[in-house]
Amino acid sequence: MPGSTSTPTEDEARAALEAHRQSIDNIDAALIHMLAERFRQTQAVGELKARARMPAADPQREARQIARLRELAHAARLDPDFAEKFLAFIIREVIRHHDSIAGRTPGASA
Amino acid sequence: MPGSTSTPTEDEARAALEAHRQSIDNIDAALIHMLAERFRQTQAVGELKARARMPAADPQREARQIARLRELAHAARLDPDFAEKFLAFIIREVIRHHDSIAGRTPGASA
């Protein structure tokens, strides 16, 4: 049925929908676990930066990340604008975490 | 150095930061590719729903997805509220895609 433009029967449509949903559920579980690991890494970075008195934000690193993710997205046929929005969404959460670490750690940059 | 509370030297801090950043870059590449595949699946779902005249939104499915992702996040020590915000962020993009498919496909639900 992939690529078909005809109207599927209700049973065909339900079966096809269920198959896609199982794939989406597997992908979502992978995404959640990758995000959990990413926050473990950025948590460690936040603690390191606080101990080493390094500034929490690094605009040059962020610019390199954005450029790289846009390229990866383009190659994977994902909208590069969406990839950039996604990274911004994640980084907002990371900065929120870092600020709360900095608030707890003596000598950390504000 | 993990778990240390002493102040690292600048070289130590730079080396540790670089190691974390390599992990973060690998994770981000994985996230982008999983997201690309997720949108391939939801694109197919959007086209299927349009052909089969099924409604674009499915609040019961979304409620099940939220509950499941919150559980997975909890098990992976990721903030369940963040996991829910993340899913909402993705679903907003999916609905934007579906609306544009529905707009192009005769007979699709609005």
Side-chain angles (χ1 to χ4, degrees):
Chain A
M1 208 165 62
S4 164
T5 52
S6 65
T7 303
T9 66
E10 197 174 320
D11 281 355
E12 283 170 345
R14 295 240 152 261
L17 181 61
E18 187 49 36
H20 288 302
R21 286 181 166 177
Q22 284 184 22
S23 292
I24 290 166
D25 285 348
N26 284 343
I27 292 166
D28 282 349
L31 286 168
I32 289 295
H33 286 91
M34 295 310 289
L35 284 169
E37 182 55 26
R38 194 188 197 283
F39 281 109
R40 279 169 53 82
Q41 295 290 329
T42 53
Q43 172 93 7
V45 167
E47 288 166 4
L48 173 69
K49 284 181 167 179
R51 281 203 315 279
R53 274 94 167 144
M54 297 164 104
D58 184 340
Q60 286 186 324
R61 157 78 174 159
E62 277 179 40
R64 286 194 303 273
Q65 283 176 293
I66 289 168
R68 177 174 175 269
L69 287 202
R70 288 187 69 94
E71 264 182 50
L72 285 171
H74 181 75
R77 301 199 179 186
L78 179 69
D79 177 4
D81 290 342
F82 174 76
E84 184 169 345
K85 271 196 290 180
F86 170 72
L87 184 66
F89 175 80
I90 301 290
I91 288 179
R92 271 199 302 280
E93 185 76 8
V94 170
I95 288 174
R96 211 172 59 75
H97 288 193
H98 282 195
D99 286 347
S100 75
I101 292 168
R104 286 200 315 268
T105 309
S109 63
Chain B
M1 211 164 59
S4 165
T5 53
S6 64
T7 304
T9 68
E10 197 175 321
D11 280 356
E12 283 170 345
R14 294 242 153 261
L17 182 61
E18 188 48 38
H20 288 301
R21 284 180 168 178
Q22 285 185 20
S23 293
I24 290 166
D25 285 349
N26 284 343
I27 292 166
D28 282 350
L31 285 168
I32 288 294
H33 286 91
M34 295 309 289
L35 284 169
E37 181 55 24
R38 195 187 196 283
F39 281 110
R40 280 170 52 83
Q41 295 291 330
T42 53
Q43 172 93 7
V45 167
E47 288 165 4
L48 174 69
K49 284 181 168 180
R51 282 204 314 280
R53 275 92 168 144
M54 298 163 104
D58 184 339
Q60 286 186 324
R61 157 80 174 158
E62 277 180 39
R64 285 195 303 273
Q65 283 176 293
I66 289 167
R68 177 173 174 270
L69 287 203
R70 289 187 68 96
E71 264 181 52
L72 286 171
H74 181 75
R77 300 199 180 186
L78 179 70
D79 177 3
D81 290 343
F82 173 76
E84 184 169 346
K85 271 196 290 181
F86 170 73
L87 184 66
F89 175 80
I90 301 290
I91 288 179
R92 272 199 303 280
E93 185 76 7
V94 169
I95 289 174
R96 211 173 60 73
H97 287 192
H98 282 194
D99 286 348
S100 75
I101 294 168
R104 287 200 315 268
T105 310
S109 62

